[in-house]
Amino acid sequence: QVQLVESGGGLVQAGGSLRLSCAASGRTFSRYAMGWFRQAPGKEREFVAAISWSGYSTYSTDSVKGRFTASRDNAKNTVYLQMNSLKPEDTAVYYCAATQPPYAGLAAASEYDYWGQGTQVTVSS
């Protein structure tokens, strides 16, 4: 079992930055890959970024590449999403998720076993 709690969302002006945190608890957290997803009103849940269990490998979707960076601190059982140069279209509820190896990929929501409750990010123009 892995429990995930997101925090750090809020209201920010376009061009600003936010850092989301996802605090995890449970067994074998350090060996879980972690993903970030978002869902805007009226839209499907969308992959944002992911990071391997070691933190060595990261991946992000094209719309956030170069602006968002996933990282993790296994000693603190926490994964982060640093969001820079925010745009109004980034407005969404952001979720973190965990998946236990083996996994075929990290961009599909169906790959993940555990989910946080989400945190709202609103970017004003």
Side-chain angles (χ1 to χ4, degrees):
Q1 285 288 308
V2 175
Q3 296 80 44
L4 307 173
V5 180
E6 301 99 333
S7 62
L11 176 65
V12 65
Q13 296 278 3
S17 298
L18 284 174
R19 189 191 196 195
L20 305 184
S21 298
C22 177
S25 61
R27 56 183 173 85
T28 66
F29 167 77
S30 295
R31 288 285 175 164
Y32 281 73
M34 302 294 295
W36 287 97
F37 292 78
R38 65 187 181 187
Q39 188 164 19
K43 298 184 68 176
E44 189 175 337
R45 184 170 50 187
E46 176 189 25
F47 171 75
V48 177
I51 186 167
S52 66
W53 67 267
S54 65
Y56 184 78
S57 299
T58 59
Y59 177 80
S60 62
T61 193
D62 287 345
S63 63
V64 307
K65 198 176 296 293
R67 300 189 297 120
F68 292 9
T69 304
S71 62
R72 68 192 296 162
D73 186 341
N74 288 343
K76 296 181 179 180
N77 291 340
T78 302
V79 63
Y80 305 96
L81 184 67
Q82 179 66 46
M83 305 185 294
N84 299 324
S85 301
L86 283 161
K87 305 174 181 179
E89 51 263 46
D90 294 320
T91 295
V93 177
Y94 284 71
Y95 300 89
C96 69
T99 184
Q100 184 179 30
Y103 43 80
L106 297 176
S110 60
E111 292 287 336
Y112 292 84
D113 303 309
Y114 305 100
W115 294 83
Q117 84 289 346
T119 185
Q120 175 70 233
V121 172
T122 302
V123 184
S124 62
S125 59

